[in-house]
């Protein structure tokens, strides 16, 4: 029996993060976490770069994959909590990540290497664990 996507916010968020154009991913991420955190995730110091990305400007390095992944996580968390709670989860020390900060882990590592741990931590939070 298939579980409806609404009961699996991380699956829905994953599909949305893959299907949306990069500019739309950035725009929606800004709605959840703000420009400064989006810039941080994208690896830039100037939040004006976020506006350029939303306008369709090129992203360099691993910025797009980090931003898509961050959107996936933020979008899943936002199904059950407010943007303020999502921001706190992303920027707070997380015991599921060996007391590391999820956004810092995302920014400082290859997404492929850290995605399973971050998704596991997000799912634990979503499940109330």
């Amino acid at each position: 029996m298939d579980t409806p996507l609404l009961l699996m916010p991380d699956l829905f968020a994953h599909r949305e993060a893959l299907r949306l154009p990069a500019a739309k991913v950035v725009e929606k991420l800004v709605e959840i976490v703000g420009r400064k955190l989006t810039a941080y995730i994208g690896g830039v110091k100037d939040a004006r770069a976020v506006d350029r990305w939303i306008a369709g400007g090129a992203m360099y390095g691993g910025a797009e994959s980090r931003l898509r992944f961050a959107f996936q996580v933020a979008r899943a968390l936002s199904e059950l909590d407010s943007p303020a709670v999502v921001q706190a989860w992303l920027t707070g020390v997380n015991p599921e990540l060996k007391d590391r900060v999820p956004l810092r882990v995302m920014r400082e590592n290859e997404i492929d290497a850290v995605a399973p741990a971050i998704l596991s931590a997000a799912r634990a939070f979503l499940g109330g664990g």
Side-chain angles (χ1 to χ4, degrees), residues 35-50:
R35 275 184 166 59
K36 287 183 182 181
L37 288 180
T38 301
Y40 178 80
I41 297 162
V44 296
K45 294 179 182 178
D46 186 356
R48 289 180 290 186
V50 173

Side-chain angles (χ1 to χ4, degrees), residues 56-78:
M59 297 178 211
Y60 298 101
E64 184 175 342
S65 62
R66 281 194 312 275
L67 291 164
R68 284 186 184 278
F69 180 73
F71 170 70
Q72 176 184 341
V73 173
R75 177 70 175 89
L77 294 172
S78 71

Side-chain angles (χ1 to χ4, degrees), residues 21-127:
K24 193 67 170 175
V25 166
V26 174
E27 182 181 329
K28 287 179 167 266
L29 186 59
V30 167
E31 290 173 9
I32 301 170
V33 304
R35 275 184 166 59
K36 287 183 182 181
L37 288 180
T38 301
Y40 178 80
I41 297 162
V44 296
K45 294 179 182 178
D46 186 356
R48 289 180 290 186
V50 173
D51 296 325
R52 289 191 295 273
W53 296 337
I54 291 172
M59 297 178 211
Y60 298 101
E64 184 175 342
S65 62
R66 281 194 312 275
L67 291 164
R68 284 186 184 278
F69 180 73
F71 170 70
Q72 176 184 341
V73 173
R75 177 70 175 89
L77 294 172
S78 71
E79 280 297 309
L80 299 177
D81 281 298
S82 69
V85 171
V86 175
Q87 291 170 23
W89 188 91
L90 289 167
T91 60
V93 172
N94 191 309
E96 296 280 332
L97 297 173
K98 299 179 182 176
D99 297 327
R100 295 177 294 166
V101 175
L103 281 187
R104 183 170 293 149
V105 172
M106 282 182 218
R107 181 175 172 165
E108 295 176 355
N109 297 278
E110 293 293 323
I111 288 300
D112 291 346
V114 298
I118 293 170
L119 288 172
S120 178
R123 288 176 183 136
F125 186 78
L126 286 167

